[in-house]
Amino acid sequence: MPKHEFLFNGESVESSVENHGKTFRVTVGERQFEVCPLGNNLFATTVNGRKRTVAAAFNKGVFYLDIDAVQLELQEPGEDQFSGAAGDHSAEKDKIYAPMPGKIVKILVAVGEEVSEKQPMVIVEAMKMENPVNAAAGGRVKAVNFKPGDQVDTDSPIIELEIPQ
Amino acid sequence: MGDLKASGKAIGMSEKLFNKILVANRSEIAVRVMNGCRVLGIPSVAVYSEADVNSKHRLFADESVLIGPPPPSESYLDIGKIIEAARQTGCDAIHPGYGFLAENPALPRRCVQENITFIGPGAEAMELMGNKIVSRKKMEHAGVPIIPGMKSGETSLAAFKAAAEEAGYPVLIKAAAGGGGKGMRVVHAPNELPASLEAARREAKNAFGDETVYLEKYIPDPRHIEFQIIADNYGNCVHLFERECSIQRRHQKIIEETPSVALNDELRYRMGEDAIRVAQTAGYTNAGTVEFLFGENGSYYFLEMNTRLQVEHPITEFVTGVDLVVEQIRIAAGLPLSDYLKHLTQRGHAIECRIYAEDGENNFFPSTGKIIHYSEPVGPGIRVDSGVEAGSEITIDYDPIMAKLIVHAPDRPMAISKMIDALHNYKLLGVKTSRRFMVDVLQHPEFAAGHTYTSFIEKHMSDRITDQATYKEMAVAVASVAAMSTSTASVLFNEGTTSAPSPWQTLGSWEIGDSIHA
């Protein structure tokens, strides 16, 4: 009986799958689901007596799912589980990254400045909108690597912090 | 076969209206316009930037021309390059779509010089309606209602008092340099006026560095109701009824419907006549939209006219059966209004939901990335106008609208439930959307009751959250099976592929590798 493990918002969730011809019976905790692959990333499953079509596709360590217009992500556990998703720098609290590629509108802090958690650090313009990016932890600004007008991607730290241990 | 072909000719193919049409736009609206060209048997030419080499609109067109780098100013907004592309491909007409150059009078003006037909209004009418202050004044003279208020830059308290009396309380004081609600004050009675005026000036000065404020009638709980009009080059003009577009976030429409529950036949007749008066006063030709603010007790006020096709035009097409792009092309070619346009009725109810690349669970924050799965709902009365497919990259270069989902049903309750089902079955993975948010709007009792005011989202949706944990077990169950299935395994091995999808492939099939094509 194949077993699977996924991470849902960092929480490990396990499942076991039994094959019954065209359909699969999946046990997740206390609940059981009949799942039938329909092809083209689509699956049918019955919940509360109602059949639903669910889309599921895998890309770069993440399962993307669409259930009743709700979009969910499950991560594959593994050695690189925290950097699996592209652009996921959530573990690096000492670096400020752009949430999406864009243009730097304003740098709100200077090297040497003490900053607190959730303080806006930089404003990045993308898709005609200005998006403030906040510090994930308090500390002191160690480096500012870009200036207003620069284009940034999601993998180059804009600002680096020194976080007291 | 011969007979079939002959009858095809008889219904329009014989009179080819243009040799070739250049579509000066991208994504879903470009594809939509090209569809209209196909219906009329006219070849279409796409223009595209370096960012759109693999985009749906480019591959959908009969021909395509690269016009420059991704920034719009160097490609889609460059009139010289658009004209050059039209010349190079032998196009005798240009359709601008909406956005980009659609409301820039320089394009129709240049088209006249180049002897190319612009599919839209003339430059003069476009210019007039582009100036909101001048156009409102002109329409007021023509007898179209506008929001009562101050027309001059008077600053004395006495002038404000007199203007408030004339407009009738409650009134709204607004910053001239304004926006975002700053420097805005609602005044309910004369004794509140002096203090509110002072406060609004102070706020305006702090926010905009300019303390100039003015006063107009306050419209509580307004709706946004607009009328589609279409006019030929011979003075004939008709309206194609209303669209209600009150459901807005960040002052941008996301759900539109027609008919509006707020109108009865008498109001519809009066507003329709006023919409036609606006178009005729402006000397307007081709398709356009007259926007009104709709207040209490059937009061309504002219806001502005959009001199182009609208994003939400498909709902009008559903209830009238008219193909607006086809009519635009016919009028631009010099044909008079078709007879059937003079005898239209509204049949059933239509709703549109805009599918933006944005996070409906996080303040509509823009979302970018690669679409890793895409499939559309099908069924009676369901239409999708889309500019994306599986493999499309959503970048920061352009407007985040990806597609529009439109449904048609015999009445409003059925249209609402059909839309909810269609949103459930519209599947898009890899880029965030507001689909669940829109499902929640459609399921809200106040929406069902027709209490659709422009404040709807702020009022009823600000506390809303989606409890993703409800779906945790189901998601894991499906992912467990997906992880075992062949197609997903092939995605695993193809990770990072950059191969371009072809629109001729079955939707969503691109990520299935060659190895399992059976």
Side-chain angles (χ1 to χ4, degrees):
Chain A
M1 206 191 286
K3 298 218 182 266
H4 295 269
E5 186 194 355
F6 297 93
L7 294 174
F8 175 84
N9 291 334
E11 174 202 348
S12 166
V13 185
E14 291 184 12
S15 69
S16 59
V17 182
E18 275 174 68
N19 191 348
H20 292 268
K22 237 180 127 59
T23 64
F24 297 82
R25 184 167 301 146
V26 188
T27 308
V28 187
E30 306 280 289
R31 296 179 68 181
Q32 281 211 332
F33 299 87
E34 296 279 342
V35 180
C36 178
L38 303 170
N40 183 30
N41 300 327
L42 298 175
F43 300 84
T45 185
T46 303
V47 178
N48 299 331
R50 252 191 65 214
K51 179 90 33 108
R52 302 176 198 220
T53 304
V54 177
F58 181 84
N59 192 34
K60 294 179 182 166
V62 180
F63 260 106
Y64 294 85
L65 293 110
D66 190 313
I67 306 171
D68 284 357
V70 177
Q71 289 170 282
L72 301 122
E73 291 173 21
L74 295 174
Q75 276 196 293
E76 281 225 317
E79 286 165 34
D80 55 349
Q81 59 190 50
F82 289 109
S83 54
D88 182 5
H89 298 289
S90 53
E92 306 169 53
K93 288 192 186 302
D94 59 337
K95 295 192 180 71
I96 312 294
Y97 292 92
M100 69 201 60
K103 192 177 85 180
I104 302 222
V105 179
K106 213 172 185 182
I107 305 271
L108 303 166
V109 292
V111 173
E113 198 175 321
E114 296 286 338
V115 297
S116 51
E117 191 185 332
K118 291 190 180 157
Q119 184 179 333
M121 301 279 105
V122 54
I123 293 175
V124 181
E125 186 191 272
M127 290 171 141
K128 302 187 212 157
M129 273 187 58
E130 291 193 359
N131 308 290
V133 186
N134 304 337
R140 204 174 59 85
V141 178
K142 193 167 74 182
V144 176
N145 301 326
F146 291 89
K147 58 181 191 309
D150 287 351
Q151 291 287 335
V152 281
D153 58 26
T154 55
D155 291 317
S156 316
I158 303 168
I159 290 166
E160 293 172 51
L161 302 177
E162 235 172 60
I163 298 171
Q165 295 303 310
Chain B
M1 284 304 278
D3 284 341
L4 273 176
K5 211 170 179 183
S7 68
K9 268 182 184 268
I11 55 165
M13 299 299 194
S14 59
E15 24 154 354
K16 195 169 161 193
L17 302 171
F18 292 104
N19 286 325
K20 221 184 258 182
I21 294 175
L22 182 135
V23 183
N25 215 300
R26 64 182 298 281
S27 197
E28 61 89 17
I29 186 55
V31 175
R32 163 68 190 98
V33 171
M34 289 167 195
N35 257 313
C37 296
R38 283 189 181 186
V39 170
L40 292 168
I42 305 169
S44 56
V45 176
V47 289
Y48 66 99
S49 75
E50 284 158 14
D52 280 336
V53 173
N54 295 320
S55 67
K56 187 174 172 181
H57 84 275
R58 183 212 162 186
L59 300 166
F60 193 82
D62 295 296
E63 288 174 59
S64 59
V65 181
L66 177 66
I67 50 164
S73 58
E74 294 169 52
S75 48
Y76 296 104
L77 288 173
D78 188 328
I79 293 179
K81 285 178 177 168
I82 302 280
I83 296 287
E84 172 58 29
R87 283 260 157 274
Q88 194 187 314
T89 49
C91 288
D92 48 356
I94 294 179
H95 194 300
Y98 47 70
F100 292 126
L101 292 167
E103 288 178 283
N104 184 342
L107 181 58
R109 211 164 269 143
R110 180 75 186 273
C111 283
V112 171
Q113 289 167 10
E114 303 281 340
N115 204 23
I116 293 172
T117 304
F118 177 78
I119 302 173
E124 296 72 28
M126 198 186 270
E127 203 144 53
L128 167 68
M129 299 323 277
N131 187 325
K132 308 302 169 200
I133 295 166
V134 173
S135 62
R136 275 189 212 186
K137 255 187 193 152
K138 188 156 181 164
M139 294 314 149
E140 190 183 20
H141 282 302
V144 179
I146 64 160
I147 298 175
M150 290 172 90
K151 283 160 200 89
S152 58
E154 284 173 278
T155 54
S156 71
L157 179 59
F160 275 82
K161 266 195 170 143
E165 290 301 334
E166 205 190 316
Y169 286 92
V171 294
L172 184 67
I173 301 174
K174 266 169 130 175
K182 294 216 173 65
M184 237 186 230
R185 278 283 187 288
V186 182
V187 186
H188 295 276
N191 62 348
E192 294 172 12
L193 190 61
S196 295
L197 188 57
E198 222 174 279
R201 280 183 174 146
R202 210 164 40 233
E203 242 177 64
K205 174 129 190 158
N206 286 337
F208 312 110
D210 176 358
E211 66 161 26
T212 312
V213 294
Y214 67 98
L215 178 151
E216 66 181 30
K217 187 169 179 60
Y218 174 66
I219 317 293
D221 280 340
R223 294 171 190 260
H224 175 114
I225 297 181
E226 60 188 30
F227 272 71
Q228 175 72 53
I229 64 96
I230 193 157
D232 65 17
N233 302 339
Y234 313 101
N236 304 304
C237 181
V238 296
H239 72 80
L240 288 83
F241 310 105
E242 79 278 12
R243 293 185 287 258
E244 179 168 343
C245 318
S246 302
I247 306 297
Q248 307 181 357
R249 49 108 188 77
R250 280 205 243 107
H251 302 288
Q252 203 180 25
K253 305 160 187 172
I254 52 167
I255 300 177
E256 300 102 343
E257 62 178 313
T258 184
S260 163
V261 297
L263 300 193
N264 55 30
D265 287 346
E266 191 252 327
L267 267 168
R268 186 169 290 119
Y269 175 80
R270 274 172 43 210
M271 291 176 80
E273 288 298 302
D274 275 333
I276 290 171
R277 186 172 308 142
V278 168
Q280 291 189 323
T281 303
Y284 195 88
T285 53
N286 217 290
T289 293
V290 179
E291 294 192 340
F292 295 102
L293 196 67
F294 188 89
E296 294 170 309
N297 308 319
S299 59
Y300 63 90
Y301 310 95
F302 168 71
L303 283 181
E304 62 180 54
M305 180 167 187
N306 295 315
T307 57
R308 52 171 164 84
L309 199 64
Q310 299 271 105
V311 176
E312 57 273 22
H313 76 276
I315 56 174
T316 297
E317 296 186 320
F318 254 147
V319 298
T320 60
V322 172
D323 185 322
L324 281 165
V325 172
V326 164
E327 298 305 330
Q328 283 192 295
I329 296 171
R330 290 169 56 91
I331 287 167
L335 294 178
L337 283 189
S338 309
D339 263 344
Y340 55 74
L341 289 173
K342 295 162 192 160
H343 308 104
L344 293 175
T345 52
Q346 286 169 299
R347 185 177 149 269
H349 198 95
I351 302 177
E352 173 180 277
C353 284
R354 300 188 183 190
I355 315 288
Y356 281 101
E358 63 182 20
D359 188 353
E361 307 304 316
N362 180 18
N363 271 320
F364 309 101
F365 206 80
S367 176
T368 57
K370 181 192 251 173
I371 297 178
I372 58 167
H373 171 83
Y374 183 81
S375 53
E376 296 175 348
V378 288
I382 297 176
R383 165 175 169 181
V384 181
D385 281 16
S386 163
V388 297
E389 53 208 346
S392 293
E393 292 268 2
I394 305 303
T395 67
I396 52 159
D397 298 313
Y398 304 113
D399 192 275
I401 194 162
M402 296 188 286
K404 296 163 341 197
L405 180 54
I406 313 105
V407 302
H408 186 214
D411 62 22
R412 189 170 187 267
M414 273 200 261
I416 292 172
S417 54
K418 185 175 279 192
M419 180 57 93
I420 292 167
D421 194 50
L423 282 166
H424 285 169
N425 288 303
Y426 183 105
K427 302 290 186 189
L428 190 155
L429 298 175
V431 175
K432 296 212 161 67
T433 70
S434 298
R435 283 173 292 142
R436 184 65 204 193
F437 181 92
M438 293 190 283
V439 167
D440 290 348
V441 170
L442 294 164
Q443 283 179 334
H444 199 286
E446 290 293 304
F447 187 89
H451 299 156
T452 45
Y453 308 109
T454 53
S455 57
F456 187 96
I457 286 176
E458 197 188 327
K459 227 182 213 166
H460 303 301
M461 306 303 287
S462 44
D463 294 334
R464 145 193 196 282
I465 45 155
T466 297
D467 185 8
Q468 292 211 335
T470 328
Y471 298 92
K472 179 175 74 181
E473 284 93 356
M474 204 193 315
V476 167
V478 172
S480 304
V481 175
M484 296 165 70
S485 74
T486 343
S487 63
T488 310
S490 78
V491 174
L492 263 164
F493 297 121
N494 283 348
E495 191 181 313
T497 181
T498 52
S499 67
S502 149
W504 315 120
Q505 284 178 284
T506 314
L507 276 175
S509 72
W510 73 276
E511 61 268 76
I512 296 169
D514 283 340
S515 52
I516 50 153
H517 245 308

